[in-house]
Amino acid sequence: MEELELLKKDWRKQERASSFPKLTKDDIYKLLLKKSSSIVKWIFIISLLELAFAIVLGLMVFTDDYKQMTQTIGLNKVMLVIEVLSFAIMFFYIYKFYKNYKAISVTDSSSDLMRNILKTRQTVKNYIKIMLSFSAVVSMITLISSMLYDPRYQKLTEKLAQSMSVTWAYVLQIVFFLFITAVLIGIFWLIYQLLYGLLLRRLKKNYKELKQLEF
Amino acid sequence: MTKELQHQFVTLLEKNQNIVHKVCRIYTSDQDSHNDLFQEITIQLWKAFPKFRGDAKFSTWMYRVALNTAITLYRKSKKNVGTSSFDALEFKIRSEEYDDTEEQQLKVMYRAVKQLSDIEKALVFLYLEDKNYKEISETLGITEVNARVKMNRIKTKLKQIVNP
């Protein structure tokens, strides 16, 4: 293309004419002291916060109520398995996150770099998904066993049962619980999408553009 | 040891800084963003420098880190999304002795490049830097055939922008 060749000629001319700023060694030394604000750094910080959140969430679901209930209904062993499992999942994901994060290298090809960043993100995202579902299930178990065995819940059920059948009183409580859970997860998801939407939109677009060439 | 490494790095970067400036010129729109991107590329280069083994040319290695920073790692501020500092170039062109048609053509071309995507800009940049398709494909992580295909599409796209 004639025009592109013309551009190339001009591009070289610009360089020869040294139209660029010229930094001295001292200027460069100063730059080395500055802090990076790359998206990888942001993703790392946010991922750590997320992991911390997921860990706390994992610990929080094992409330005293939950422990007492599982004991009462003889689910001690199940509880132990769930707890061990949650810690195993936690260590697995922290290890995977660390490994993926370490694999991010700015000296890779653009395509590899983008893929590794997205992979690191995906690891944390998967962990969050698992922990959210896990917490929902454990909370559900706690709620159902509480309704059946906790005197406080029984009182509430009795009160509700004054204006409806006992079955409906149970259903109402479960529906209410599900509703609250859905709203909380919804809010969480929205913030999540917004945060990563802003951070990763450009990267995803560029990655897609590179990948489209493969077909 | 670190001081020695730092000295080595600063010397190499000072010598090759034009590469970074050129990447900044393609991807940013004003001096502030230019400096901002230059800073981020310098930090990324320095962070990666201990792993630079010298089996590749320093400049080749720089192209990769600088482009990766511009395309992937750098967080653009809102004001410079999708524009470039080619405007500044246009003024320089005007002040030099070109014949009218050539000047006009260049002006239109610079504007056209401005409208390209990040990836397309990277290809054009490497092309302007006289890199062959093998290097272009290795830098971006695509096959050589696809680099050629993409470049041809960009040429067509530029043609369409220039002659609507």
Side-chain angles (χ1 to χ4, degrees):
Chain A
M1 190 197 194
E2 204 192 318
E3 282 101 336
L4 206 56
E5 290 310 315
L6 193 69
L7 202 64
K8 196 187 241 182
K9 208 177 87 191
D10 186 67
W11 188 251
R12 286 198 196 127
K13 205 169 189 166
Q14 294 288 337
E15 192 171 2
R16 276 201 303 275
S18 47
S19 66
F20 301 106
K22 186 109 182 98
L23 271 76
T24 64
K25 282 185 184 169
D26 277 348
D27 295 332
I28 297 172
Y29 271 115
K30 273 177 209 152
L31 284 182
L32 297 186
L33 301 173
K34 297 269 169 64
K35 285 208 163 63
S36 158
S37 64
S38 77
I39 64 159
V40 171
K41 192 178 169 185
W42 280 104
I43 285 174
F44 182 71
I45 293 169
I46 296 170
S47 294
L48 285 188
L49 290 175
E50 279 177 65
L51 289 174
F53 165 79
I55 292 165
V56 169
L57 188 73
L59 294 173
M60 259 168 50
V61 292
F62 301 115
T63 54
D64 289 341
D65 270 2
Y66 171 78
K67 283 180 184 161
Q68 215 181 344
M69 282 310 131
T70 43
Q71 254 167 7
T72 321
I73 53 182
L75 282 177
N76 286 17
K77 275 187 187 156
V78 177
M79 191 185 98
L80 192 72
V81 170
I82 291 176
E83 254 180 284
V84 169
L85 202 71
S86 84
F87 277 105
I89 293 171
M90 182 182 97
F91 285 122
F92 171 74
Y93 273 100
I94 287 177
Y95 169 73
K96 217 172 144 192
F97 168 73
Y98 177 75
K99 234 181 117 208
N100 286 337
Y101 177 72
K102 279 280 158 200
I104 296 175
S105 164
V106 74
T107 53
D108 274 342
S109 70
S110 306
S111 158
D112 284 347
L113 172 68
M114 291 180 200
R115 196 185 47 240
N116 285 332
I117 293 174
L118 291 173
K119 224 166 107 183
T120 307
R121 261 308 315 131
Q122 194 61 40
T123 310
V124 181
K125 204 169 166 183
N126 288 347
Y127 184 47
I128 289 286
K129 272 186 196 164
I130 289 177
M131 283 321 288
L132 280 180
S133 338
F134 186 79
S135 317
V137 169
V138 172
S139 310
M140 197 70 192
I141 296 175
T142 315
L143 178 84
I144 292 175
S145 50
S146 300
M147 281 194 312
L148 294 173
Y149 300 99
D150 192 327
R152 284 171 296 173
Y153 274 88
Q154 277 164 356
K155 258 186 205 159
L156 179 70
T157 312
E158 274 166 27
K159 255 191 193 166
L160 285 170
Q162 283 169 4
S163 52
M164 60 184 85
S165 73
V166 180
T167 318
W168 275 112
Y170 282 137
V171 170
L172 194 71
Q173 286 178 68
I174 292 174
V175 168
F176 182 70
F177 170 78
L178 287 177
F179 175 74
I180 295 290
T181 309
V183 168
L184 285 178
I185 290 180
I187 292 172
F188 187 80
W189 201 246
L190 216 66
I191 295 171
Y192 208 71
Q193 292 299 328
L194 203 71
L195 191 65
Y196 283 109
L198 288 175
L199 211 56
L200 290 176
R201 192 172 42 209
R202 186 163 151 254
L203 194 156
K204 277 184 177 163
K205 188 184 143 269
N206 288 341
Y207 187 62
K208 212 171 137 194
E209 192 176 335
L210 276 181
K211 281 289 121 189
Q212 261 170 2
L213 293 171
E214 306 295 306
F215 301 108
Chain B
M1 186 63 200
T2 321
K3 269 209 162 143
E4 210 176 285
L5 199 71
Q6 209 173 34
H7 178 72
Q8 199 188 347
F9 172 77
V10 171
T11 310
L12 280 167
L13 180 58
E14 192 221 17
K15 217 173 103 195
N16 295 283
Q17 61 176 292
N18 268 1
I19 296 173
V20 185
H21 284 303
K22 282 186 278 187
V23 170
C24 295
R25 187 162 278 182
I26 289 258
Y27 284 98
T28 64
S29 58
D30 53 72
Q31 200 54 44
D32 277 352
S33 325
H34 182 116
N35 296 346
D36 207 32
L37 180 56
F38 192 98
Q39 179 184 316
E40 189 60 48
I41 292 175
T42 304
I43 295 168
Q44 294 299 334
L45 282 166
W46 171 234
K47 266 165 70 181
F49 190 61
K51 277 188 267 170
F52 172 69
R53 287 192 192 89
D55 44 3
K57 250 172 78 185
F58 184 70
S59 58
T60 313
W61 179 80
M62 267 181 83
Y63 276 106
R64 190 174 275 219
V65 176
L67 271 180
N68 270 339
T69 307
I71 299 173
T72 308
L73 304 183
Y74 179 59
R75 288 174 60 249
K76 285 180 183 179
S77 55
K78 267 180 194 158
K79 57 178 181 184
N80 60 346
V81 173
T83 55
S84 80
S85 63
F86 277 142
D87 280 341
L89 276 178
E90 285 172 21
F91 289 109
K92 288 194 183 85
I93 297 159
R94 236 170 266 142
S95 66
E96 287 178 23
E97 287 174 20
Y98 277 93
D99 71 72
D100 272 356
T101 3
E102 206 170 87
E103 182 186 335
Q104 196 55 36
Q105 265 180 318
L106 272 170
K107 208 169 133 183
V108 175
M109 276 304 285
Y110 276 119
R111 284 222 183 108
V113 173
K114 224 188 212 183
Q115 295 174 34
L116 298 175
S117 73
D118 288 340
I119 304 291
E120 289 167 339
K121 277 180 191 158
L123 272 132
V124 169
F125 170 72
L126 291 168
Y127 184 85
L128 291 179
E129 290 293 298
D130 238 351
K131 300 290 166 199
N132 59 37
Y133 282 107
K134 190 170 175 281
E135 277 179 81
I136 296 178
S137 69
E138 282 169 0
T139 305
L140 296 178
I142 54 179
T143 63
E144 220 175 304
V145 176
N146 284 334
R148 277 176 200 278
V149 171
K150 185 82 177 163
M151 198 62 216
N152 283 331
R153 279 189 207 152
I154 294 169
K155 284 178 185 176
T156 317
K157 195 171 170 182
L158 285 173
K159 220 174 228 165
Q160 279 167 353
I161 302 173
V162 174
N163 314 301

